[in-house]
Amino acid sequence: MIKLFIIPIIFMIVAYFTAPLIGPEVEGAATFFLVAIGAGLGVLLNQFIFPKKSKSKNDNT
C-alpha cells in the first residue's frame, strides 16, 4: 500500500524545489499548481508501474 504513495510524493517534492528555478516571478499559487501537477503525474505513473490485478468471476472453473 505504501508503494502507491512513493512516486507522487517524490514528484511533489521535485516540483516544489524546481518551481523557483523556472523564474523569479513564480509565487505561491504557481508553486501549488506545479506540486498538484507533480502529484497527478505520480499517480498516473503508479497506474502503469503497479497495475491492479483484476479479479475474474470465473476463477473456479
Side-chain angles (χ1 to χ4, degrees), residues 7-22:
I7 295 175
I9 290 175
I10 290 172
F11 276 29
M12 290 168 64
I13 292 170
V14 168
Y16 179 77
F17 286 113
T18 57
L21 299 177
I22 293 173

Side-chain angles (χ1 to χ4, degrees), residues 39-60:
L41 288 175
V43 169
L44 207 104
L45 278 177
N46 269 341
Q47 292 178 356
F48 291 114
I49 294 173
F50 306 114
K52 291 185 179 181
K53 297 176 184 174
S54 63
K55 295 181 179 180
S56 177
K57 292 181 180 179
N58 298 328
D59 283 342
N60 296 332

